[in-house]
Amino acid sequence: MPTTTSATDFVPPSLEIADLAAAAQGCRGCGLYEDATQAVFGAGVAPARMMFIGEQPGDSEDRAGKPFVGPAGRLLDKALAAAGIPREPVYVTNAVKHFKFVRAERGARRIHKTPSRTEVVACRPWLVAELTAVEPEVVVLLGATAAKSLLGSAFKLTAHRGEVLRLAPQDRPEGLDPQVVATIHPSAVLRGPHEARDDAFASLVDDLRSAAALLG
Ligand code: URA
Ligand code: SF4
């Protein structure tokens, strides 16, 4: 059986998020649909002035069918609130739409596994379709996976975090040139050493605040 490695053939020409989300359920652009419960598409209003992009749905998101509703989502909500950004009029999505995981040796626990470059690239047409529909003025990339999806595999988050960046013409829909800020993933705050969490959280809030300030 030929292996497909792109979502391109599954993305409909519609600019309605609901149409795109429905079509994503049938995506076979990479192998990740096989074990996940469902595709987790972006959520929020479209168009929206700000768009936030995470990595991939986690265990809770895979079950709920909505992005950022588990522990990382609660942390993101707290950080958005601290930065004065209401979650409602923004659009929130992920670089990869299906949950990638490994099963714990014992029990049913599903452990997050970072998507491969091939999977990230395969899923990018959905992200570009969302960018086209949402037409954001500011894009916030949460973590290295989202950053590398849109800024290229050589992008170094530690070197360019918080800077105001632009997407290369071939990586964005024609006519759209949002300002882009890359920052850490909310999970990085949760995973970090306990004594460093407050600082990590504050630095995430700082980046979100400067991203929001770009809206003027
Ligand atoms: N982590 C992400 O990157 N996205 C989610 O939706 C949940 C956790
Ligand atoms: Fe399609 Fe993306 Fe799911 Fe792969 S992860 S099957 S490319 S929606």
Side-chain angles (χ1 to χ4, degrees):
M1 203 171 73
T3 339
T4 350
T5 48
S6 176
T8 306
D9 291 349
F10 301 91
V11 180
S14 171
L15 288 181
E16 295 294 326
I17 293 297
D19 293 344
L20 296 171
Q25 297 306 333
C27 186
R28 306 289 181 262
C30 76
L32 293 185
Y33 73 90
E34 286 178 36
D35 296 330
T37 309
Q38 57 192 319
V40 177
F41 213 69
V45 293
R49 295 187 77 192
M50 288 190 96
M51 176 161 157
F52 295 81
I53 306 173
E55 182 189 71
Q56 63 166 349
D59 182 78
S60 322
E61 289 79 14
D62 172 79
R63 294 172 204 275
K66 295 195 188 83
F68 282 107
V69 294
R74 285 192 287 279
L75 199 284
L76 177 63
D77 283 346
K78 258 176 57 184
L80 288 173
I85 304 168
R87 169 129 174 202
E88 279 311 310
V90 302
Y91 186 85
V92 179
T93 193
N94 286 300
V96 169
K97 307 304 192 235
H98 278 103
F99 177 36
K100 183 174 185 178
F101 60 90
V102 287
R103 282 192 194 279
E105 254 177 56
R106 254 172 251 259
R109 209 159 74 83
R110 304 184 300 171
I111 301 161
H112 160 278
K113 193 155 186 256
T114 304
S116 70
R117 179 72 189 158
T118 308
E119 290 152 351
V120 171
V121 171
C123 212
R124 190 165 50 198
W126 290 116
L127 196 53
V128 175
E130 287 174 295
L131 282 168
T132 310
V134 175
E135 294 182 281
E137 291 164 49
V138 174
V139 172
V140 180
L141 302 168
L142 300 164
T145 299
K148 289 179 181 211
S149 172
L150 288 181
L151 296 167
S153 58
F155 180 78
K156 292 258 183 306
L157 183 59
T158 43
H160 299 291
R161 167 175 184 189
E163 291 175 8
V164 181
L165 308 162
R166 296 282 178 169
L167 304 178
Q170 68 272 19
D171 295 326
R172 55 176 158 86
E174 216 182 305
L176 188 81
D177 188 13
Q179 301 186 82
V180 177
V181 175
T183 185
I184 53 168
H185 192 283
S187 302
V189 178
L190 297 170
R191 270 199 304 265
H194 213 274
E195 60 284 3
R197 281 192 193 173
D198 289 352
D199 285 352
F201 181 77
S203 71
L204 172 62
V205 172
D206 271 354
D207 288 344
L208 296 180
R209 210 179 269 130
S210 30
L214 295 173
L215 293 174

